Amino acid sequence: MRHKHGYRKLSRTSSHRKALLANLAICMIEREKIETTVPKAKELKRYMEKLITKAASGDLNSHRLVFASLQSKTATNKLVTEIAPKYAERNGGYTSIVRTRIRRGDATQMAYISFV
């Protein structure tokens, strides 16, 4: 049982899960809205909230911290210079999840995740 367990494993190894979340975050930063499964969206929400909080200060150290997680120069630059300053006075709640449809192939609940 997963009582008080800290995160969703998403049926992946830790390195695969880390790469998945980084890639989803990069896509979300570039497109500002993506469609994925609900469990992935919920984990991505936690991941993005932490990244935006780190990027909110906008200094060189925040650039480095965000780049260490994403490994994408364009996504890091866009997050630190364009997206994070919009939420500087906000205390969390930077993203929203909207459930959309049931996927036809495996009947999985899908959701849009976007910036507020």
Side-chain angles (χ1 to χ4, degrees):
M1 285 185 240
R2 64 169 304 277
H3 294 302
K4 294 288 189 174
H5 189 263
Y7 55 91
R8 292 167 185 83
K9 287 190 174 183
L10 302 174
S11 300
R12 287 161 171 81
T13 61
S14 60
S15 58
H16 189 183
R17 191 169 47 251
K18 182 180 173 186
L20 171 80
L21 289 174
N23 285 329
L24 284 173
I26 290 168
C27 288
M28 186 173 165
I29 291 165
E30 290 172 352
R31 295 173 180 84
E32 299 194 6
K33 181 179 184 181
I34 59 171
E35 186 180 28
T36 184
T37 62
V38 172
K40 286 180 191 173
K42 287 181 177 180
E43 270 308 297
L44 180 60
K45 182 178 177 114
R46 294 181 66 217
Y47 190 81
M48 285 301 298
E49 299 278 333
K50 291 175 185 175
L51 279 181
I52 294 171
T53 302
K54 286 178 190 173
S57 62
D59 58 351
L60 179 63
N61 195 41
S62 64
H63 261 83
R64 288 179 175 161
L65 287 171
V66 172
F67 183 75
S69 298
L70 295 180
Q71 294 295 308
S72 169
K73 288 182 182 180
T74 56
T76 300
N77 195 31
K78 184 173 179 180
L79 180 65
V80 175
T81 59
E82 295 175 27
I83 296 170
K86 288 192 259 183
Y87 304 111
E89 68 280 348
R90 203 175 164 118
N91 293 326
Y94 313 119
T95 58
S96 66
I97 297 173
V98 179
R99 292 170 190 245
T100 56
R101 64 188 174 97
I102 304 286
R103 189 162 58 190
R104 187 170 180 217
D106 58 356
T108 301
Q109 179 73 47
M110 300 297 284
Y112 281 120
I113 179 167
S114 62
F115 294 109
V116 174

